[in-house]
């Protein structure tokens, strides 16, 4: 017996423990083969949420309009427009909407009867893409048997009609109507979307990144392609002081203390005390947070200004230490503090002197400008411990590692947040490390591994190397998450010349409109450019200026349309989402979301415009997907087991 035959026999013996007879193996093959012919489940793509939890939650609840489209299909001739709107809102927010509806209903029994039948009818449609086993796993424990019976009602069988009718009547008469409506609404929400893809940047300016992460933790099927802001928080949680300083500075700059203090219980007291003492008489004008006067008091704004300046100076020192430590990053142009002439109040950049807008830098040692003071070290250590000990943050970051990565290949499509670093001539930018050259996929794979090393490694040197890579992913010139020549944070704070503020996008962003660019990238990742697509985020599509999210003749789709309110003036919309169902691709562009309260009280859904990007002549089946290929592999294994049983190689148990 060869080694391969012995290995195969060992595997089949293990498989036989799960399928101990010819009958068991045969039934499994029959069931799996049937699954291959089901319609493909609906995939939902969303990007650049930036902490806007209310908009995110609503789009999640309505499946980017998927549920409303089903309601239109099923009830177009039986419900009025306001009835369809109210029914949709009930499904999105059952707990909150039910009391508002019922207070104006006289015959509540009849309302429950009608509503339950409508929910069951809709439930049958959205569950039709799933096996009974998959639906059963999604059912709430309290109503599992009842819902399963109702979803598979045989309307043509007369002797079953009274049975189903009696179930509905009993639910109502036992005062379980409220709970049943909630259960059905949540089931419909869950079954409307089979898989959620988040194409990066859960974190940043909005106040609810921690709330979004809680929702993702509970979501039934999700993956995350890390964004530049995500990797920054991941680095901070891992212990990277440079990432930590950037996180705090950005939160202070945009007045987003909610996520830090209330979301993750990270105490800002050490930094506040240090800033008040160090910059007591400094107005810190250049560090005023970008907030409106009605959000914070003047004293709060003054304190945040001082804290922002304090952490910014710490950040510049920490980043310089990484640049000096990792020469191969090629970021010597970010060594700036030693270029300052304190007597003249200038800094020399590229041989040109620039006047500094702020010369009060008491923490900079002229002899060793990148050395942290003892007080700065103390503050950093307290902050580092606060990040490390935040259970909620660590739980969220571990989830990002478990469910995420720098890119994903799924169902023949390539998903990533930022870019594939390229040269102006269309070739891939290369990075040489330890005698090896990396580009495109190999570079992404290496960075992904090192980012995990930065969190999970036990060796201090390996861990530090990984953490430095996480900072590089945030701001490095060839970083696939950053996609710019430099991060001009210092220049924006201290210099007036707009030329010094320019960061310069990677050539990828000028080239991605071209079909040949998409073809080159897809081939580099082993995909068929005739059928595959790239789904991209990171840079908002400026719809107001006529820019299209569909590029490279449809081979590349950018779905950052401005979920974050900070970008909506530029984009003109409030985000894109992409839907890939069994009929093809749909791109939904969304109008701004007013509030959850108005959505519930007034039935205000997010107004979405849907564009069909691809309509298939033949419906996509499970057999055409990654899941189908896994099922087919399992069928081949079971067929080998069946042959082994029949050949007498393995005995039935």
């Amino acid at each position: 017996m060869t080694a391969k035959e012995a290995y195969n026999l060992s595997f089949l013996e293990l498989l036989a423990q799960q399928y101990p007879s010819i009958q068991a193996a045969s039934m499994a093959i029959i069931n799996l083969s049937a699954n291959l012919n089901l319609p493909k489940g609906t995939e939902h793509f969303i990007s650049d949420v930036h902490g806007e939890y209310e908009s995110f939650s609503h789009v999640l609840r309505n499946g980017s309009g998927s549920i409303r489209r089903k309601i239109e299909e099923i009830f177009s001739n039986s419900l009025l427009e306001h009835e369809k709107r109210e029914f949709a809102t009930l499904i999105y927010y059952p707990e909150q909407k039910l009391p508002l509806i019922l207070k104006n209903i006289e015959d509540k029994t009849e309302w429950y009867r009608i509503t339950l039948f409508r929910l069951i009818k809709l439930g049958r449609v959205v569950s039709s893409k799933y096996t009974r086993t998959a639906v059963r796993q999604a059912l709430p424990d309290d109503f599992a048997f009842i819902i399963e019976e109702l979803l598979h009602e045989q309307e043509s069988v007369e002797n079953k009609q009274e049975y189903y009718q009696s179930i509905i009547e009993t639910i109502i008469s036992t005062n379980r109507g409220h709970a049943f409506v909630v259960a059905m609404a949540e089931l419909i929400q869950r079954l409307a979307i089979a898989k959620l893809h988040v194409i990066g940047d859960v974190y940043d300016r909005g106040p609810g990144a921690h709330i979004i992460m809680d929702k993702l933790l509970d979501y039934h099927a999700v993956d995350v392609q890390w964004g530049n802001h995500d990797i920054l928080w991941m680095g901070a949680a891992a212990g990277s002081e440079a990432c930590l300083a950037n996180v705090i500075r950005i939160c202070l700059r945009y007045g987003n203390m909610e996520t830090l203090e209330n979301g993750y219980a990270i105490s800002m007291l050490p930094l506040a005390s240090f800033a008040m003492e160090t910059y007591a008489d400094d107005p810190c004008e250049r560090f005023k947070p970008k907030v409106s006067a009605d959000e914070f008091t003047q004293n709060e704004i003054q304190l945040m200004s001082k804290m922002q300046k304090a952490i910014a100076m710490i950040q510049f020192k920490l980043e310089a230490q990484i640049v000096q430590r990792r020469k191969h990053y090629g970021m010597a142009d970010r060594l700036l503090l030693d270029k300052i002439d304190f007597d003249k109040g200038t800094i020399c950049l590229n041989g040109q002197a620039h006047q500094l807008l702020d010369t009060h830098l008491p923490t900079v040692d002229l002899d060793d400008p990148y050395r942290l003071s003892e007080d700065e070290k103390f503050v950093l250590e307290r902050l580092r411990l606060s990040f490390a000990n935040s259970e909620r943050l660590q739980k969220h970051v571990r989830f990002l590692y478990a469910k995420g990565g720098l890119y994903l290949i799924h169902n023949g499509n390539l998903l990533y947040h930022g870019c594939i670093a390229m040269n102006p001539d269309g070739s891939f930018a290369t990075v040489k490390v330890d005698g090896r050259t990396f580009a495109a996929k190999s570079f992404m794979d290496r960075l992904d591994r090192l980012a995990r090393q930065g969190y999970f490694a036990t060796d201090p040197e390996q861990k530090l190397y990984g953490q430095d890579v996480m900072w590089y992913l945030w701001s490095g010139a060839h970083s696939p998450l950053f996609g710019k020549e430099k991060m001009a944070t210092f220049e924006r704070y201290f210099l007036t010349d707009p030329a010094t503020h320019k960061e310069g996008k990677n050539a990828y962003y000028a080239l991605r409109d071209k079909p040949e660019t998409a073809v080159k990238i897809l081939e580099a990742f082993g995909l068929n450019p005739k059928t595959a697509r790239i789904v991209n985020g990171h840079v908002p599509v400026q719809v107001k200026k006529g820019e299209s999210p569909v590029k490279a003749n449809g081979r590349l789709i950018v779905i950052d349309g401005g979920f974050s309110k900070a970008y909506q003036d530029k984009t003109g919309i409030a985000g894109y989402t992409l839907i890939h169902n069994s009929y093809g691709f749909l791109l939904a562009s969304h109008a701004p979301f007013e509030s959850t309260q108005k959505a519930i009280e007034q039935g205000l859904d997010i107004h979405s415009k849907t564009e069909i990007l691809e309509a298939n002549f033949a419906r996509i089946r499970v057999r055409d997907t990654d899941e189908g290929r896994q099922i087919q592999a399992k069928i081949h294994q079971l067929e080998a087991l069946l042959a082994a049983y029949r050949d007498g190689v393995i005995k039935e148990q």
Side-chain angles (χ1 to χ4, degrees):
M1 180 183 291
T2 66
K4 184 177 179 181
E5 288 171 337
Y7 168 80
N8 288 342
L9 182 58
S10 298
F11 173 77
L12 292 177
E13 286 171 343
L14 285 172
L15 195 61
Q17 294 177 18
Q18 188 177 356
Y19 304 96
S21 66
I22 289 174
Q23 181 183 2
S26 300
M27 289 305 300
I29 291 170
I30 293 167
N31 290 333
L32 289 171
S33 298
N35 291 354
L36 291 173
N37 293 306
L38 285 170
K40 169 194 171 301
T42 300
E43 296 173 67
H44 191 190
F45 302 76
I46 192 167
S47 173
D48 296 87
V49 187
H50 291 300
E52 298 291 348
Y53 68 94
E54 283 201 340
S55 299
F56 172 80
S57 177
H58 189 81
V59 167
L60 218 58
R61 289 169 184 270
N62 77 358
S64 285
S66 297
I67 291 173
R68 183 58 194 262
R69 283 192 293 275
K70 292 295 182 187
I71 291 172
E72 289 288 348
E73 290 171 13
I74 299 166
F75 302 104
S76 59
N77 297 321
S78 57
L79 293 180
L80 299 173
E81 182 59 33
H82 76 274
E83 292 175 321
K84 287 184 280 190
R85 187 168 61 246
E86 187 170 82
F87 186 48
T89 307
L90 177 66
I91 293 169
Y92 307 155
Y93 302 97
E95 290 278 16
Q96 300 93 326
K97 188 65 177 178
L98 256 175
L100 296 178
I101 294 174
L102 290 174
K103 72 179 182 181
N104 298 316
I105 300 295
E106 289 186 15
D107 190 345
K108 292 179 174 52
T109 297
E110 181 62 16
W111 180 88
Y112 270 121
R113 186 180 294 115
I114 294 168
T115 302
L116 291 180
F117 275 115
R118 287 173 182 166
L119 286 168
I120 292 160
K121 192 170 186 177
L122 180 58
R124 286 189 201 126
V125 174
V126 297
S127 66
S128 62
K129 288 186 178 183
Y130 299 87
T131 64
R132 285 202 180 194
T133 302
V135 173
R136 194 175 297 128
Q137 290 170 349
L139 297 176
D141 293 338
D142 285 356
F143 296 106
F145 171 75
I146 294 171
I147 293 176
E148 188 171 6
E149 285 286 288
L150 293 171
L151 288 182
H152 298 100
E153 176 184 348
Q154 296 170 283
E155 294 179 353
S156 59
V157 180
E158 289 186 18
N159 60 2
K160 280 280 188 177
Q161 289 178 357
E162 288 187 13
Y163 169 66
Y164 294 120
Q165 183 75 33
S166 69
I167 291 176
I168 298 294
E169 296 299 333
T170 306
I171 289 169
I172 298 168
S173 65
T174 55
N175 293 320
R176 295 291 284 162
H178 181 113
F180 193 80
V181 167
V182 172
M184 280 300 303
E186 290 177 349
L187 179 66
I188 289 166
Q189 283 185 40
R190 174 167 178 170
L191 296 180
I193 302 297
K195 181 85 171 181
L196 174 66
H197 306 287
V198 182
I199 318 293
D201 276 357
V202 171
Y203 290 88
D204 189 20
R205 299 185 183 188
H210 53 292
I211 300 171
I212 294 169
M213 288 303 303
D214 283 340
K215 287 187 175 294
L216 292 179
L217 249 73
D218 292 335
Y219 204 75
H220 55 277
V222 62
D223 53 68
V224 183
Q225 287 65 66
W226 304 330
N228 51 317
H229 288 280
D230 303 325
I231 204 71
L232 196 62
W233 280 84
M234 292 161 69
S240 166
E241 293 176 341
C243 290
L244 177 154
N246 271 282
V247 162
I248 295 172
R249 181 187 60 79
I250 293 168
C251 286
L252 287 163
R253 185 167 178 76
Y254 298 105
N256 179 19
M257 305 310 292
E258 177 69 22
T259 302
L260 269 178
E261 296 183 324
N262 296 334
Y264 291 130
I266 292 169
S267 173
M268 290 290 102
L269 185 59
L271 179 61
S273 300
F274 170 74
M276 287 297 291
E277 183 178 341
T278 307
Y279 300 100
D281 300 320
D282 186 346
C284 300
E285 285 292 335
R286 299 295 304 163
F287 295 87
K288 283 267 171 42
K290 294 181 179 294
V291 296
S292 59
D294 58 347
E295 289 181 82
F296 299 94
T297 67
Q298 281 304 308
N299 286 338
E300 288 172 332
I301 290 173
Q302 189 62 243
L303 176 59
M304 285 193 290
S305 302
K306 296 180 190 300
M307 291 169 69
Q308 189 184 158
K309 185 173 183 179
I311 198 66
M313 296 313 299
I314 291 172
Q315 173 191 317
F316 298 142
K317 294 180 181 182
L318 292 169
E319 290 178 334
Q321 290 173 16
I322 296 176
V323 171
Q324 292 172 326
R325 192 160 59 232
R326 312 297 178 196
K327 298 287 194 294
H328 61 283
Y329 287 1
M331 297 175 67
D333 63 321
R334 294 294 85 204
L335 299 174
L336 299 173
L337 297 183
D338 64 312
K339 310 297 189 298
I340 296 175
D341 186 328
F342 282 89
D343 292 330
K344 296 179 180 178
T346 61
I347 186 170
C348 185
L349 299 178
N350 301 317
Q352 183 180 352
H354 298 267
Q355 194 68 40
L356 291 172
L357 294 168
D358 185 342
T359 56
H360 183 61
L361 307 175
T363 63
V364 178
D365 183 341
L366 296 180
D367 296 324
D368 190 359
Y370 302 119
R371 183 180 64 83
L372 294 167
S373 70
E374 292 304 313
D375 287 341
E376 286 175 322
K377 289 179 184 176
F378 175 78
V379 169
L380 260 182
E381 180 59 17
R382 294 281 298 275
L383 291 170
R384 188 189 64 77
L385 288 172
S386 197
F387 273 81
N389 293 327
S390 171
E391 291 185 15
R392 192 179 189 186
L393 174 61
Q394 296 297 331
K395 183 180 181 181
H396 289 171
V397 167
R398 281 183 171 267
F399 174 84
L400 288 173
Y401 277 110
K403 298 292 184 179
L406 282 179
Y407 71 91
L408 177 70
I409 296 171
H410 187 79
N411 285 341
N413 297 306
L414 176 61
L415 287 53
Y416 55 80
H417 175 73
C419 70
I420 306 299
M422 304 186 82
N423 298 313
D425 65 0
S427 61
F428 292 125
T430 58
V431 177
K432 194 169 184 178
V433 185
D434 299 330
R436 294 178 61 195
T437 300
F438 300 91
K441 184 177 184 297
S442 66
F443 189 42
M444 295 274 264
D445 289 336
R446 177 175 173 81
L447 291 172
D448 188 294
R449 183 181 67 78
L450 290 173
R452 296 176 193 280
Q453 178 179 302
Y455 189 86
F456 293 103
T458 54
D459 178 85
E461 282 301 313
Q462 287 187 345
K463 193 175 184 72
L464 180 63
Y465 194 94
Q467 289 172 3
D468 288 353
V469 164
M470 294 167 88
W471 173 79
Y472 180 86
L473 280 165
W474 162 248
S475 59
H478 291 302
S479 164
L481 298 186
F482 180 47
K484 295 181 182 179
E485 295 172 357
K486 67 176 183 180
M487 188 170 287
T489 307
F490 181 93
E491 290 89 334
R492 288 195 298 270
Y493 278 129
F494 289 99
L495 305 178
T496 56
D497 184 357
T500 64
H501 301 179
K502 187 178 178 182
E503 295 179 332
K505 291 180 183 176
N506 183 267
Y508 167 87
Y509 293 101
L511 296 167
R512 68 178 180 177
D513 285 349
K514 300 179 179 180
E516 57 265 32
T517 300
V519 168
K520 186 180 182 70
I521 292 170
L522 289 167
E523 287 179 343
F525 282 80
L527 293 169
N528 182 356
K530 293 181 180 179
T531 57
R533 276 187 167 85
I534 298 167
V535 185
N536 197 185
H538 189 47
V539 177
V541 177
Q542 299 194 32
V543 180
K544 284 174 73 172
K545 295 183 178 180
E547 186 181 356
S548 170
V550 182
K551 303 178 185 298
N553 286 350
R555 297 265 69 83
L556 190 151
I557 306 164
V558 182
I559 61 169
D560 181 3
F563 242 101
S564 173
K565 292 174 183 175
Y567 300 115
Q568 288 172 12
D569 285 342
K570 293 182 180 179
T571 62
I573 60 170
Y576 285 110
T577 49
L578 185 68
I579 300 101
H580 186 200
N581 59 27
S582 59
Y583 294 105
F585 279 94
L586 301 171
L587 182 68
S589 59
H590 305 293
F593 181 61
E594 292 198 43
S595 71
T596 301
Q597 185 176 352
K598 285 192 175 182
I600 295 166
E601 293 177 354
Q602 301 174 26
L604 293 182
D605 204 345
I606 291 181
H607 179 69
S608 303
K609 181 181 177 182
T610 304
E611 175 186 356
I612 299 173
L613 300 183
E614 178 186 282
N616 299 302
F617 293 109
R619 200 172 188 186
I620 305 171
R621 303 288 173 178
V622 170
R623 63 171 172 266
D624 305 313
T625 67
D626 290 349
E627 180 190 359
R629 283 180 276 279
Q630 292 168 3
I631 290 173
Q632 193 63 64
K634 184 69 178 288
I635 290 172
H636 290 326
Q637 293 165 0
L638 287 165
E639 286 172 342
L641 176 62
L642 203 57
Y645 278 137
R646 287 172 173 159
D647 291 344
V649 177
I650 295 177
K651 294 188 295 183
E652 288 186 302
Q653 298 177 29

